[in-house]
Amino acid sequence: DQQVKQNSPSLSVQEGRISILNCDYTNSMFDYFLWYKKYPAEGPTFLISISSIKDKNEDGRFTVFLNKSAKHLSLHIVPSQPGDSAVYFCAAMPGGGADGLTFGKGTHLIIQP
Amino acid sequence: DAGVTQSPTHLIKTRGQQVTLRCSPKSGHDTVSWYQQALGQGPQFIFQYYEEEERQRGNFPDRFSGHQFPNYSSELNVNALLLGDSALYLCASSFKWTLYEQYFGPGTRLTVT
């Protein structure tokens, strides 16, 4: 039973446009949500996080939106750049850090020139 | 400032053997978590160590065990290796009070033949 779901295995976006990656979760106990970016042969790199008391968090070109009632979050990348091509993982954690991070299966973002 | 380091990078073992993987956390971090990432999947939480004790454990059998040393570095041991244990093993470090910000190492690729 997947508690964190990324339903798009891949996404192709033109350079300069907005990339929107989506994530759904089922566990109401999740309190923190994170996005990681992963290149081949490297570990995941932390991008941005949001706690359940917020509905938006921005960091440069990256913005994460959280809709608790829909149990849905999204990552917006504006503008998309070639270096953004990677696999993006959505992850969630209950308050207190119990049970570690629960990850989705990832979305492969491809930025087209 | 060194990030999270892991050794070895790659490892090939035979079914039934035992393996030890090592992790050094990011400078100043006191908590280490281990994850297993199978091909095409997101990382899965194995366990977490703080103050040299296992604090949380995911859904993994007792063949998976670990240790944390006084300098916060950690080892992951897997006994009686199965073909299904072939995966990328990731170590993540954090502060105990900010478990929602976990920084990952590059991983150890384990192949069981």
Side-chain angles (χ1 to χ4, degrees):
Chain A
D1 179 31
Q2 263 196 291
Q3 297 186 62
V4 176
K5 297 180 186 179
Q6 293 178 258
N7 291 320
S8 300
S10 67
L11 175 67
S12 183
V13 174
Q14 272 200 310
E15 183 180 353
R17 307 292 288 265
I18 183 171
S19 294
I20 300 176
L21 296 100
N22 293 302
C23 178
D24 297 296
Y25 63 96
T26 58
N27 189 340
S28 303
M29 301 300 292
F30 287 146
D31 242 1
Y32 292 102
F33 303 88
L34 304 89
W35 285 94
Y36 284 86
K37 172 181 179 179
K38 188 178 186 300
Y39 294 118
E42 294 183 13
T45 302
F46 171 75
L47 274 178
I48 191 169
S49 65
I50 188 168
S51 78
S52 59
I53 63 172
K54 293 186 175 182
D55 54 19
K56 178 182 174 182
N57 190 25
E58 277 182 273
D59 185 0
R61 296 186 299 115
F62 302 94
T63 302
V64 57
F65 295 92
L66 175 63
N67 182 335
K68 279 192 298 182
S69 60
K71 292 192 173 68
H72 177 83
L73 65 154
S74 61
L75 174 68
H76 292 210
I77 306 173
V78 184
S80 299
Q81 298 174 355
D84 295 331
S85 294
V87 177
Y88 289 78
F89 289 99
C90 170
M93 170 183 283
D99 301 326
L101 288 167
T102 301
F103 282 82
K105 290 187 176 183
T107 295
H108 186 194
L109 176 64
I110 302 160
I111 305 301
Q112 306 276 10
Chain B
D1 175 25
V4 180
T5 59
Q6 292 185 243
S7 64
T9 306
H10 295 91
L11 205 50
I12 300 175
K13 289 286 190 179
T14 303
R15 194 171 46 183
Q17 286 188 315
Q18 177 263 344
V19 69
T20 298
L21 311 181
R22 295 176 176 82
C23 171
S24 290
K26 185 176 166 65
S27 179
H29 282 178
D30 55 11
T31 300
V32 172
S33 303
W34 286 92
Y35 293 81
Q36 180 196 66
Q37 186 179 15
L39 207 59
Q41 304 293 316
Q44 268 198 294
F45 175 68
I46 303 175
F47 43 52
Q48 183 180 91
Y49 276 84
Y50 172 69
E51 288 184 341
E52 302 178 49
E53 287 189 19
E54 182 182 299
R55 298 293 175 171
Q56 300 292 342
R57 189 177 184 94
N59 189 24
F60 279 80
D62 292 344
R63 297 187 297 108
F64 290 77
S65 63
H67 189 76
Q68 186 180 35
F69 299 94
N71 67 352
Y72 307 122
S73 67
S74 176
E75 287 182 350
L76 163 66
N77 301 293
V78 187
N79 293 323
L81 284 167
L82 303 174
L83 296 179
D85 295 331
S86 295
L88 180 67
Y89 289 84
L90 295 161
C91 168
S93 75
S94 60
F95 294 110
K96 178 195 175 187
W97 302 111
T98 54
L99 292 172
Y100 49 85
E101 285 191 17
Q102 296 190 14
Y103 293 83
F104 284 80
T108 294
R109 172 70 62 187
L110 172 65
T111 302
V112 182
T113 62

